[in-house]
Amino acid sequence: MFDLLSLKILIFTPVLAAIIIASPLFGTNFIYIRRFAKTCGTIHFLYSLLFIVFYNFGVESFYDEIMIFGSGWLEKLGINAAFGLDGLTVLLAPLTSFIFLISLIVSKTMIRTKHKMYYSLMFILLSTVLGVFCSKDMFLFLIFWEAELIPLYFLISEWGSCNCKHSAMKYLLYIFCGSIFLSVAMIGLFFYGYLSNGELSASIDFLRVSMTDGIFPVFLKKLLFFGFFTGFAVKLPIIPFHIWFTDSQSDSATPISMVLSAIIINTGAYGIIRFNLDLFPELFIKYSPFIMIFAVINIIWASLAAFKQNDIKKTIAYYSISQMGLFLLGLSSLNKIGLDGAIFIMLSHSFISAGLFLITGLIYQVAKTKTLQELSGLGEFMPILMLFAYVINFAAVAVPLTIAFPGQLLVFLGAFSSDCSIEPLAKICSFIAILIMLLAASYIFKLFHKIFCTSQFYSTKKYHDVSGHRLMCIAVICFCIILFGCFPDSLMSIYNNFTESLLEILRV
Amino acid sequence: MQFFTDNILLIFLLPLLTAIIAFTAHFFKFAISQKTVSVISTVTSIIGAIYAAALYYTYNNCNEITEFSVGWLSIGDLTISAGLLLDNISATFLLILMIVNIIIQIYSSQYFNNQKNYNLYFGYLNLLITSITALSLSSNLPQSYVFLELTGVLCYILTNFNYEKSQISESAKKSFIINRIGDMLLLSGIIVFIYFVLTYPISNNSELLSYKELAETAADFYVYLSDINFYIACILLFSGAIVKSAQFPFHIWLTDSINGPIPVSALIQSVATVSAGIILTIRLLPLFELSEPVLKTIIYIGLFTSVICAFFASGQYDIKKMLAYSTSSQLGIVFPAIALLNIKNTLFYMSVNSFAKVSLFLIAGILISFIPKSSSNMLDMPVSKHQYPFLGFCYLLTVFSLSGLFFNGFFIGEAILGQLLSQNKKIAASFYFLYLLLTSFYLFKSYFIIFKKNKKHFAEKNKISSCLIIPIILSIVFIFYPVFDYKTIILDFSKNYEIFKLFDIIPVSVPISVIAVILAYFAASNKISAPLWFKKLSLNGGYISNLYDIFIDYIVEFFRNFTNIIDYFFNFTAYIVKFFSWCVSVSQNGNIQTYISYAIFSSAVLLVLYLLLIAGIGGI
């Protein structure tokens, strides 16, 4: 059974699907292309679910390596194409596949041109994101990280609206600038590992060992930490590097927005856990007060900025940023509760922001606008959408028994009980974060009421409520939100070992 | 009886199942008709009431506690469990809830007749009932929080039920956000509490979080924390109850929420908010009673609210607003009753208050439906006592009970007052008298205005459906039928007047009410009148709502400008880059003449520099 569950298959079948779609097999028949894409997405999602089913709850499992003629990939340089899943990524991989499946399904009516290119780019993007999550090798991670830029750049610029070309360029520049820091830090780490140990290897496990027992100069370590952190902070995004995110969110098409906020942001969060926390634990402990302050600034700034937006999508983008601030707050508390909470926020945020963007997309489809002033009274025409919007909005403000609540509770509690070096800082940060989350309630519900309630919007046009595949997608998201909200332990037990191992690294 | 205790989960499952049926009926319209849904809903509510009565008679006179729990969320080494706690408090709450539930269900089935969202309404209503049931049975603090917030959310959804009207949706939004403030304060209190349990040396069991063990935990908590920290933690926890029970300064959400449908308002104001705020305070009492300042704060917040909201209520002509303020005011009396550590009194008072509120709201609902334009102004109500003697009689009975002149209301009022006096709380007692005066005043004033003898516009006599009458009769019966064994209350009462003598108390409290009634009679017929500014202050609820608006607007406006800074900074950087690129683009325009002129110009410059350099060296 283990052979069947190969990470190579998981990561590279989307590329295969992309090639088939791009090939002249389907000609210009976009219906076949779409059906094929959806089928592939579904199969891929089911396949990725199998990894959870057969996950053995060890710290590490499903190790897989690409061998070329009996030797590793670029073995002389110490770079191997090694993949593996641990407690966190075994959840992130199916989540990625799930969000892609949903966005492929809703693409039916939202993407109307260049189907062939669109679906093949989507599959390439899926493959690169999975590669980022599954890489056990630093340079492999970097390759997938950079490769992610290309499909996403075209996806934003080709199918967006307004000045999407500009936003896509912004996205490219920002992430690329971040990647420069990242790659410099990686090269530095790689060569210093070689100098101190005499062995060329970019494997993350190897580097972790060499970091702990090597004679690393502290200053170099700090530089590397800073490089990694900047690279991931741009992607997360941490204020002030967030402009690319809000702009590209507001201009890209709905499925792309969903992927951007639900998945692409998670890669940044994953990177911080994987590199900054895992490789530089003592520096992370040292800098955790600063990271905590960054996190709180992120939450406050994003919440306040969300108020003034006229664009629905931008408001939701700011909501995502504030959630990532919560993630960072949980992470910087450096205890079991905080780490559990941070990872839970990663997962819950994916579902919620995907749901919020989906709703926005559905509204955009009928009302042809995403400006807040021009919308009102849609609840009269779309009661079913409104019902689902209720669920997702309540989840967004972390009402209990929805998926966001356990995460937020754990993060607040973790931050409150963290043994931060500056004594009352953690407690103050935790309280501020709690109070600021009030603002989330007020801007999310301001949006909701403006869109769905009040009927100053008299139009002769009859809007159709959601139905068919769109109804199914949004219902599935709502179902997940409530299901995992009622049984949070089902998710937490899977990544429990992962946080335990992180804590062990931190304790050393 | 054993059956009921063993299958306690049924009491949640019945309304939950009904909710699911109603939602199914709403979304798959072919499945079940409206009538069936309402019948199912009413029948399950009656079964629930029977169930609750059985539980009540099992648990009432014994201190037996049944508890069981399962793990829900693991926090580090600690597990938050989801459990049930059955004792006399939760049994009493359940009984009140279930009886009010029957009343509301029957009334709603008529009130929402032939509306398109009929089934949806019943779905939400039953979900709300499930949530309040779970709240009253919850066995630990985090679980209470979960259902407290869920109750708030469902109240919001029901208030926002007719969301097409912008006024309704705006006020629903406002009430929801103010509710969130309370939730967040409570959450921070809970976080402090859990933090204590986590850092407590011998805290390896999750039992510490449950209410059953709270007394022991609280004692340790008290020793562990400094006085001021303990006080802050307790007030954070209590603030959840303050907001839910609409105490000053958060009472404004209740006056906003009355814009919803009448049965919903009746339910929110009689059971939902009451049980939410009060059961939390009762459960946390082992914690609060350790510190005298906390108890004092509870007493004075309650009494102050009861007076100030009674004052606001007395200026209202909108019957719904008046009732909302009166709810806040009457709940204000419950808190001193809790803080005096007399749970029996509290529960008794709550039952009186709940049924009275339901009956007033239901009567108001019928009266409002007579007004052609949708308004709830008392002066517009074209009814008279002779037209609807039954309604007038019911209204009068309820008002008598609420103003402490009659039977149950009288007994409970005297019991609380006696206790205040016996603990030598003179200021508190004088607050109570003021409250009594104002309450009797505005309630009787509303009665005299609505059921005036000579009204100008007599509407035709409308026929009132029996589905609307039966609930009113039921609620009146439960105001006067002593469901909750009030023998102990009367015993307390008699004990009190042994100490203070019957004539010491009755001449004070009853005459106050009587004076208020006389004042109300004259005020209703405009024979006496307060100064205009005084009236305005009362009518506008002390302008507290306006203060909220101004405050929020100001803050949002301030930060709106503030958050632009980053955008400006990045745009500025972009402009600089653009400027340089423009400079470069000017120089590289592909024109051969330009290049030649650049070449000549720059070689000239170089030449000059070269000459200068030589001259310079020569100079040295």
Side-chain angles (χ1 to χ4, degrees), chain B residues 332-388:
Chain B
I333 293 298
V334 180
F335 285 104
I338 301 173
L340 295 169
L341 310 179
N342 197 333
I343 306 299
K344 269 253 149 74
N345 274 357
T346 312
L347 295 177
F348 191 72
Y349 185 87
M350 227 195 72
S351 81
V352 173
N353 181 33
S354 298
F355 292 119
K357 261 291 121 52
V358 170
S359 110
L360 285 185
F361 259 104
L362 300 192
I363 294 169
I366 295 174
L367 293 176
I368 289 168
S369 70
F370 293 155
I371 306 176
K373 55 183 185 210
S374 62
S375 123
S376 49
N377 197 328
M378 291 184 224
L379 299 171
D380 290 349
M381 285 173 184
V383 292
S384 88
K385 201 163 51 181
H386 304 298
Q387 255 178 320
Y388 303 102

Side-chain angles (χ1 to χ4, degrees), chain A residues 279-353:
Chain A
L279 295 187
F280 305 90
E282 71 274 29
L283 281 179
F284 204 92
I285 293 170
K286 194 176 172 189
Y287 291 135
S288 68
F290 299 105
I291 297 174
M292 204 172 259
I293 291 168
F294 259 122
V296 171
I297 290 174
N298 224 30
I299 298 169
I300 297 175
W301 198 284
S303 304
L304 292 174
F307 260 109
K308 66 162 191 173
Q309 305 302 327
N310 284 329
D311 189 330
I312 309 172
K313 278 186 154 180
K314 270 195 179 170
T315 316
I316 300 169
Y318 275 111
Y319 168 77
S320 291
I321 296 173
S322 78
Q323 287 291 302
M324 282 300 127
L326 277 182
F327 160 79
L328 219 54
L329 183 67
L331 208 60
S332 58
S333 64
L334 294 175
N335 50 24
K336 177 84 168 61
I337 305 171
L339 291 177
D340 275 351
I343 293 171
F344 207 94
I345 290 254
M346 262 170 90
L347 303 173
S348 70
H349 164 258
S350 291
F351 285 104
I352 293 166
S353 64

Side-chain angles (χ1 to χ4, degrees), chain A residues 174 240 304 308 337 379 386-387 390 394 397 400 405 412-413 416-417 431 445 449 454-455 486 489 492, chain B residues 27 72-75 124 145-146 149 153 156 160 163-164 166 169 176 180 188 191 195 198 559 564 566 570:
Chain A
Y174 266 89
L304 292 174
K308 66 162 191 173
I337 305 171
M386 186 176 166
L387 188 79
Y390 261 138
F394 286 137
V397 300
F405 175 69
F412 293 146
L413 198 58
F416 195 81
S417 56
F431 269 120
F445 274 87
H449 276 263
T454 72
S455 57
C486 291
D489 256 6
M492 281 172 66
Chain B
F27 289 112
W72 180 61
L73 173 68
S74 51
I75 298 180
Y124 286 139
Y145 174 79
V146 168
E149 198 160 344
V153 161
Y156 155 75
N160 197 19
Y163 51 80
E164 291 92 352
S166 65
S169 94
F176 178 68
R180 288 292 295 181
S188 37
I191 282 171
Y195 170 66
L198 280 170
F559 284 110
N564 282 332
I566 285 193
F570 275 90

Side-chain angles (χ1 to χ4, degrees), chain B residues 11 50 87 93 189 193 287 319 366 420 490 552 557 602:
Chain B
I11 207 164
I50 294 167
D87 57 359
F93 264 99
F193 192 77
L287 193 64
I319 188 164
I366 295 174
L420 279 174
I490 292 172
I552 289 167
E557 195 55 42
S602 37

Side-chain angles (χ1 to χ4, degrees), chain B residues 461-592:
Chain B
K461 191 169 186 227
N462 301 35
K463 196 174 176 303
I464 307 171
S465 156
S466 61
C467 279
L468 299 178
I469 292 295
I470 293 168
I472 295 175
I473 296 173
L474 259 177
S475 57
I476 294 289
V477 165
F478 281 105
I479 293 172
F480 292 102
Y481 179 73
V483 220
F484 309 103
D485 86 322
Y486 73 119
K487 273 177 222 146
T488 44
I489 309 278
I490 292 172
L491 274 180
D492 274 1
F493 172 68
S494 57
K495 244 189 264 164
N496 284 331
Y497 76 81
E498 258 171 47
I499 304 166
F500 293 98
K501 305 213 175 54
L502 182 63
F503 297 102
D504 270 6
I505 300 171
I506 288 181
V508 189
S509 93
V510 171
I512 283 180
S513 300
V514 173
I515 292 168
V517 174
I518 296 164
L519 280 176
Y521 181 74
F522 288 118
S525 50
N526 280 329
K527 280 179 186 141
I528 53 166
S529 170
L532 191 64
W533 65 269
F534 199 67
K535 268 187 167 172
K536 262 195 172 166
L537 188 68
S538 169
L539 181 64
N540 291 314
Y543 297 101
I544 291 166
S545 176
N546 305 45
L547 278 180
Y548 267 86
D549 291 348
I550 292 166
F551 184 65
I552 289 167
D553 282 354
Y554 176 75
I555 288 186
V556 169
E557 195 55 42
F558 175 73
F559 284 110
R560 186 171 287 186
N561 302 325
F562 189 66
T563 45
N564 282 332
I565 297 170
I566 285 193
D567 297 19
Y568 290 143
F569 174 72
F570 275 90
N571 288 343
F572 179 68
T573 332
Y575 282 128
I576 290 175
V577 173
K578 254 187 201 166
F579 174 71
F580 281 111
S581 67
W582 176 79
C583 292
V584 173
S585 71
V586 167
S587 65
Q588 298 179 350
N589 56 359
N591 204 337
I592 194 84

Side-chain angles (χ1 to χ4, degrees), chain B residues 5 28 46 66 87 91 118 148 176 190 195 199 271 309 333 344 399 412 488 491 535-536 546 597:
Chain B
T5 323
F28 307 98
I46 290 169
T66 309
D87 57 359
Y118 188 86
L148 199 69
F176 178 68
I190 290 174
Y195 170 66
T199 52
V271 189
C309 287
I333 293 298
K344 269 253 149 74
V399 163
I412 187 64
T488 44
L491 274 180
K535 268 187 167 172
K536 262 195 172 166
N546 305 45
S597 57

Side-chain angles (χ1 to χ4, degrees), chain A residues 93-114:
Chain A
L95 179 67
T96 310
S97 192
F98 172 72
I99 300 289
F100 267 88
L101 176 61
I102 296 282
S103 51
L104 284 176
I105 294 170
V106 296
S107 300
K108 181 181 174 185
T109 44
M110 288 167 181
I111 302 297
R112 295 203 172 274
T113 50
K114 302 183 210 164

